[in-house]
Amino acid sequence: MMKPWAMPILRKAFLIFGANLLLLGVYGQQAGPAQVNRVQFTEVAAQSGITFRNENGASAEKYMVETFGSGVGVIDFDNDGLPDLFFANGADLAHGKPSPGNVRYRNLGNGKFEDVTATAGVAGNGMFATGVTVGDYDNDGYLDIYLTGFGSNQLFRNKGDGTFSEVTARAGVGGGGWSSSAAWVDYDHDGYIDLFVGRYIEYDLRKAPYCGYHKPGYRMYCDPQQFDGTPALLYHNNGDGTFTDVARKAGVANPAGKSLGVAIADVDGDGWPDIFVANDGVRNFLYRNKGDGTFDDITYGAGVGFDVNGKALAGMGTEMVDLDGDGLPDIFFTAFSGQYNPIYHNLGKLLFEDGTVKAGLPSSVKTLGFGAKVFDFDNDGYPDIYVTNGHVTDNVTLYDPKLAYRQPDLLYRNLGGGRFRDVSAESGPALRIQHVGRGLAVADFDNDGDLDVVVSDAGGSPLLLRNDGGNRNHWIAIRARGRESNRFGIGSKVRVTGSGRTQLREINPYGSYLSTSDTRLYFGLGSAALARIEIQWPSGKKQAMDNVRAGQILLLDEADAKR
C-alpha cells in the first residue's frame, strides 16, 4: 500500500511527465530541428577512386586567375542511370605550362569511380579551364560539356559511345577573355537550349600589377576593383549545331559585369526563364525575360543589386530556389569574408527584400563562400543550403590573423517558413575539413534516395561527401524526357504535393559556382509515402499524376503531356 506522504510526490511526477508528453505532441515538429542532426556526411573521395588534383598555378607572381579554382560537373554521359563526374583543371600560367588536363570519372555503381579520361577525349587544349556546364544542346539524348576558361572556352559533343568530340570552332562558342560560370537555358522556348556565359574582368598577365606590402612574403592577389569588367555572352542555339552571340541584342551585355555566379529561374511566374548574375564588387544583375528574345535589367527596382546598406557585395556562387514554400524563387548567393551570404526573399510583383537576418543567417561571416547549393539533404520537404568556403589570399593571416586560407564548409538546415539553423558542427566530420573550396555540385551518386555533395578544391583534391541517413524520410526524384521541349526538360516546373504541402522547383542543375549538378530533380517528402506530381514543360504542355509512390526515380515523358 502506498504511503500517504508519497502521494504528492507521485502526483507531481505524473504532472511533469504529462506536461512533457503534451509538449512533445504539440510542439514536436517545431522542436525537432533543435535536436542533433541524424544525417551525417562522410568524405569518401579517395576510397571511391577519385585521385584528381587541381592545378591552380599558384606562383610568386600572384596572377589573379590562380585564385579562381575550377568547377565540377555531374554528367551521366552514358545514360546508365549512374551520375558520373567531370573535373575542369587549371594550368601553371606563371611558368608557361599547359593544363595537365581535365579528368572524367565513370560511376561504377558500387561506390567506386573509374578514370576514363584517356578514352573520353575531354582532356582539353591546355587552357586554364574554370567552369563546367552540362547540357544536351543538340537534343540527341546525350549530355554534352561546355568548358569556360581564361582566354577561351570549349564545347565537347557527346558522341553516345563514351567519347566526345571537340566542336568549339564549328559551333562558334569559343568566346574569349576570362569566362566564369555559365548556364544552359532555352530562353526563347524553341526547344533548343541556349547558353549564357558570365565573364569576369579584363586581365592581362603581362601587365599584372603588384599588390600588397612590399615586404618578403606579403605580395597578395589584387582586388577586382582595380580592373574593368567584361560583358557576358548569350549564345542562341540555331538548332543545327551552331550558335550566334546575341548578348547585345538581347540586352544582357553589360560591360560593368564581373560575373562569378549565374542562376536561372522564372522569378515572376510568367513562364519565361530569367537570369540572375552575382557580380564581384559591383552590383548584381537581374535580367527579366520579356518573352520576345530580349531582357530587361530590373535590378534596381527589384532590390537585388546591393546589400542592406546599399553597397555592392563580392558575389560568388548563387542559387534561385523557393526557400520559404510560397511558390516564388528566392535568391541566395555567397560573398566575401567580413560580408554576409544574403537571402533575397521574393515578395512577388518583381520585388525582393533582404531577408537574411529574418531567415536566421548571420549578418557577418569570417568565411569566404564560393559554391552554393540549395537541396533537401534530410528529405524533410524543406530545402536546405550548403556553402563551400576558402579564401582567395593564401597569405591572408599575415594581414588578418583572424582569417584563414583553408576553411570548413557550412550547412544550414531549413526549419520551415524560410528560417534556417547552422547544423554544420553536427553533420559529420566532413563538415570540419579545412580546405580551399570552390566548385560545388550535388547528386545521388549511389541512387539511395539522398543527395551527396562534391566539392572542388583550388590547388588540392576534391571532396566527395556521402550522405548517410538522408533517406530515412521519403523522397521522390524526377527525370524528364522532353519532346517538343529540350530533351532533358531544362526549365520545366515541377510541383510535388505530399502530406498537404506543395513544393515547386524547376529542373535546372546550374547555379552554384563554375559547376553543374545532376539533371534529376529530387524532392524530400518527409512522412508522405504518396505524392501528387505535376509538371509544366517549357512548351506549355502539362501533365499530372496522383498517388505516386515515394522512393523512386520517376521518368516523366512530354509525349504524355497535354496543352
Side-chain angles (χ1 to χ4, degrees), residues 4 43 60 63 69 102 170 191 200 367 370 432 477 481 493 516 547:
E43 207 290 303
Y63 293 138
N102 314 305
R170 178 183 180 279
Y200 193 43
T367 53
F370 274 90
R432 295 190 290 273
R481 178 179 294 160
K493 296 180 181 179
T516 304
N547 297 317

Side-chain angles (χ1 to χ4, degrees), residues 287-356:
Y287 294 116
R288 178 180 177 267
N289 192 332
K290 296 165 64 178
D292 60 1
T294 66
F295 293 78
D296 272 339
D297 183 349
I298 63 169
T299 311
Y300 290 112
V304 297
F306 304 96
D307 69 5
V308 290
N309 299 309
K311 296 181 179 180
L313 294 169
M316 309 292 183
T318 184
E319 284 273 83
M320 281 205 289
V321 179
D322 179 13
L323 294 171
D324 53 5
D326 63 358
L328 297 171
D330 307 299
I331 296 173
F332 174 82
F333 65 89
T334 57
F336 210 78
S337 54
Q339 299 180 350
Y340 66 102
N341 301 326
I343 289 177
Y344 291 110
H345 173 54
N346 191 336
L347 303 176
K349 299 181 180 180
L350 299 175
L351 294 174
F352 292 76
E353 70 172 359
D354 190 322
T356 310

Side-chain angles (χ1 to χ4, degrees), residues 169-230:
R170 178 183 180 279
V173 292
W178 185 350
S179 297
S180 55
S181 295
W184 294 101
V185 50
D186 184 4
Y187 73 88
D188 56 358
H189 288 177
D190 65 355
Y192 289 91
I193 51 175
D194 312 293
L195 184 61
F196 181 91
V197 182
R199 294 197 294 175
Y200 193 43
I201 58 175
E202 293 285 352
Y203 191 79
D204 189 338
L205 296 179
R206 298 165 299 180
K207 301 177 182 178
Y210 186 102
C211 295
Y213 296 143
H214 285 270
K215 296 167 57 177
Y218 276 80
R219 184 172 183 175
M220 66 187 303
Y221 294 102
C222 295
D223 191 299
Q225 299 298 325
Q226 297 178 242
F227 307 93
D228 292 331
T230 312

Side-chain angles (χ1 to χ4, degrees), residues 313-514:
L313 294 169
M316 309 292 183
T318 184
E319 284 273 83
M320 281 205 289
V321 179
D322 179 13
L323 294 171
D324 53 5
D326 63 358
L328 297 171
D330 307 299
I331 296 173
F332 174 82
F333 65 89
T334 57
F336 210 78
S337 54
Q339 299 180 350
Y340 66 102
N341 301 326
I343 289 177
Y344 291 110
H345 173 54
N346 191 336
L347 303 176
K349 299 181 180 180
L350 299 175
L351 294 174
F352 292 76
E353 70 172 359
D354 190 322
T356 310
V357 175
K358 288 182 181 179
L361 268 61
S363 58
S364 178
V365 293
K366 292 183 179 180
T367 53
L368 197 166
F370 274 90
K373 286 304 296 181
V374 173
F375 67 103
D376 189 355
F377 77 89
D378 54 1
N379 283 327
D380 65 352
Y382 297 93
D384 313 294
I385 299 173
Y386 191 105
V387 175
T388 189
N389 299 303
H391 213 280
V392 294
T393 304
D394 52 359
N395 57 355
V396 66
T397 53
L398 294 177
Y399 289 87
D400 188 343
K402 296 180 181 178
L403 298 178
Y405 181 51
R406 300 183 183 279
Q407 301 175 354
D409 291 349
L410 292 169
L411 179 62
Y412 295 104
R413 185 184 178 203
N414 193 331
L415 307 181
R419 292 278 302 174
F420 292 83
R421 184 172 72 87
D422 186 346
V423 296
S424 311
E426 62 198 57
S427 298
L431 272 295
R432 295 190 290 273
I433 295 174
Q434 307 278 333
H435 66 132
V436 190
R438 292 296 185 262
L440 164 65
V442 298
D444 184 5
F445 291 107
D446 47 10
N447 285 338
D448 66 349
D450 49 31
L451 287 166
D452 312 298
V453 177
V454 59
V455 179
S456 65
D457 185 286
S461 301
L463 305 179
L464 180 61
L465 309 186
R466 188 185 65 216
N467 185 329
D468 294 327
N471 54 10
R472 289 191 178 99
N473 283 322
H474 290 298
W475 59 276
I476 194 163
I478 306 300
R479 184 165 63 92
R481 178 179 294 160
R483 302 293 182 173
E484 185 177 334
S485 302
N486 67 85
R487 188 61 179 268
F488 281 81
I490 302 300
S492 298
K493 296 180 181 179
V494 181
R495 286 179 173 83
V496 173
T497 302
S499 296
R501 288 191 63 250
T502 297
Q503 303 174 60
L504 174 62
R505 298 282 299 275
E506 297 183 26
I507 298 178
N508 195 321
Y510 313 111
S512 189
Y513 171 77
L514 307 181

Side-chain angles (χ1 to χ4, degrees), residues 23-280:
L23 287 171
L24 181 62
V26 175
Y27 298 109
Q29 292 301 314
Q30 288 84 351
Q35 299 170 2
V36 175
N37 182 18
R38 295 195 304 166
V39 178
Q40 300 289 289
F41 285 93
T42 306
E43 207 290 303
V44 295
Q47 71 185 62
S48 298
I50 297 174
T51 59
F52 171 78
R53 188 173 181 85
N54 174 255
E55 171 61 81
N56 67 341
S59 70
E61 283 73 18
K62 302 289 183 180
Y63 293 138
M64 283 192 67
V65 70
E66 299 168 6
T67 69
F68 228 58
S70 299
V72 56
V74 176
I75 173 174
D76 183 2
F77 70 88
D78 52 4
N79 289 340
D80 65 353
L82 296 169
D84 309 301
L85 281 169
F86 181 94
F87 291 97
N89 211 352
D92 185 354
L93 300 177
H95 300 95
K97 296 180 180 179
S99 171
N102 314 305
V103 174
R104 196 189 79 185
Y105 286 95
R106 180 171 182 261
N107 189 338
L108 301 179
N110 57 358
K112 302 292 185 181
F113 288 81
E114 176 188 15
D115 187 337
V116 293
T117 310
T119 58
V122 292
N125 60 5
M127 73 174 185
F128 194 115
T130 54
V132 185
T133 312
V134 175
D136 181 8
Y137 77 90
D138 53 2
N139 283 338
D140 66 351
Y142 291 93
L143 291 165
D144 312 298
I145 300 172
Y146 185 73
L147 279 184
T148 58
F150 180 73
S152 63
N153 304 321
Q154 284 190 287
L155 177 62
F156 295 95
R157 178 180 177 271
N158 191 333
K159 296 163 66 176
D161 60 0
T163 67
F164 291 73
S165 57
E166 201 268 316
V167 296
T168 312
R170 178 183 180 279
V173 292
W178 185 350
S179 297
S180 55
S181 295
W184 294 101
V185 50
D186 184 4
Y187 73 88
D188 56 358
H189 288 177
D190 65 355
Y192 289 91
I193 51 175
D194 312 293
L195 184 61
F196 181 91
V197 182
R199 294 197 294 175
Y200 193 43
I201 58 175
E202 293 285 352
Y203 191 79
D204 189 338
L205 296 179
R206 298 165 299 180
K207 301 177 182 178
Y210 186 102
C211 295
Y213 296 143
H214 285 270
K215 296 167 57 177
Y218 276 80
R219 184 172 183 175
M220 66 187 303
Y221 294 102
C222 295
D223 191 299
Q225 299 298 325
Q226 297 178 242
F227 307 93
D228 292 331
T230 312
L233 305 171
L234 178 61
Y235 290 112
H236 176 259
N237 191 330
N238 300 322
D240 59 0
T242 69
F243 293 78
T244 302
D245 182 10
V246 297
R248 187 177 299 276
K249 177 182 176 182
V252 296
N254 191 327
K258 299 179 181 180
S259 307
L260 288 180
V262 175
I264 310 292
D266 180 7
V267 298
D268 55 355
D270 66 353
W272 297 96
D274 309 301
I275 302 171
F276 178 77
V277 179
N279 285 311
D280 190 2

